[in-house]
Amino acid sequence: MTTMKLHWSPKSPYVRKVMVCAHELGLLPRVERVRSVAAMLQPNAALMADNPLSKIPTLVLEDGRTLFDSPVICEYLDAVAGGGRLFPPEGQHRWQALRWQALGDGLLDVLILWRNERERTQPLPALVEAFALKTRATLALLDEEAGALEAAPFGIGHIAIGCALGYLDYRFDAFGWRALAPRLAAWEQGIASRASFLQTAPTEG
């Protein structure tokens, strides 16, 4: 069986998205994980050989071609598995799934920038508050849509949002997001109990 090589980290929420998709699609045996560090201030030469942006996730296909970033890789894996399983092929269901994916990924973008800022010797208070405001606003919107998330077939939007909420737990535990979005928190309990999420929880390893 031919395998694909995934530049991987146990802490990256974007890598987790890819791994959840691979798990859900039954493709784990075809994905070889390669531990790759992608630090903003220290470009990784080995990673750059496959991705000049020095970012993860990066997927190297069987024929040597490369794909990045997580939305592209996830949709590729869905196509490899036959298509239409995590990415609805057309119509309003597709646009809703892609919209939720964009919300989840966008929330992750905010959280990662927020974490980088708070790690600075002198974080900029206005910037930290802007990140907090965007996070609260996104959680409020997702809380309103928790019922729609519950009713929709499981797909890439659920995965992206679930990974973003998992990152909130991992890096922003003191933020207490569940108190801000109780309906979303109830929905997240179901997502977090799936084997694909349990087996891809972020670790410091």
Side-chain angles (χ1 to χ4, degrees), residues 46-90:
L47 175 57
M48 291 181 72
D50 292 324
N51 182 349
L53 299 172
S54 190
K55 295 177 67 175
I56 54 175
T58 292
L59 185 69
V60 183
L61 307 183
E62 295 93 331
D63 61 6
R65 291 177 298 146
T66 57
L67 293 177
F68 34 82
D69 50 4
S70 67
V72 175
I73 296 172
C74 291
E75 190 156 9
Y76 176 80
L77 294 179
D78 190 64
V80 168
R85 292 179 57 182
L86 298 178
F87 287 79
E90 60 186 3

Side-chain angles (χ1 to χ4, degrees), residues 6-176:
L6 178 68
H7 286 283
W8 170 91
S9 165
K11 295 183 287 188
S12 166
Y14 299 109
V15 170
R16 187 184 190 191
K17 266 185 66 189
V18 172
M19 292 301 296
V20 169
C21 286
H23 191 289
E24 293 283 347
L25 295 166
L27 294 176
L28 283 180
R30 294 183 58 183
V31 179
E32 174 193 357
R33 297 179 301 171
V34 177
R35 182 70 168 89
S36 301
V37 177
M40 186 176 297
L41 298 179
Q42 296 178 328
N44 182 331
L47 175 57
M48 291 181 72
D50 292 324
N51 182 349
L53 299 172
S54 190
K55 295 177 67 175
I56 54 175
T58 292
L59 185 69
V60 183
L61 307 183
E62 295 93 331
D63 61 6
R65 291 177 298 146
T66 57
L67 293 177
F68 34 82
D69 50 4
S70 67
V72 175
I73 296 172
C74 291
E75 190 156 9
Y76 176 80
L77 294 179
D78 190 64
V80 168
R85 292 179 57 182
L86 298 178
F87 287 79
E90 60 186 3
Q92 64 179 358
H93 295 298
R94 175 173 176 81
W95 298 118
Q96 180 63 288
L98 294 180
R99 174 180 173 274
W100 278 332
Q101 179 182 213
L103 269 175
D105 286 355
L107 178 56
L108 276 176
D109 290 343
V110 169
L111 294 173
I112 288 172
L113 289 171
W114 185 0
R115 178 172 181 263
N116 289 341
E117 183 63 24
R118 77 178 185 184
E119 296 299 312
R120 288 163 54 94
T121 304
Q122 294 183 320
L124 186 62
L127 193 53
V128 169
E129 179 52 36
F131 292 143
L133 177 62
K134 291 177 182 180
T135 299
R136 289 192 295 268
T138 304
L139 289 171
L141 176 60
L142 289 173
D143 196 56
E144 292 178 1
E145 298 184 9
L149 281 164
E150 182 69 36
F154 180 83
I156 190 60
H158 301 76
I159 292 171
I161 292 168
C163 287
L165 297 177
Y167 190 76
L168 263 173
D169 285 333
Y170 183 51
R171 295 297 193 191
F172 293 85
D173 183 58
F175 189 68

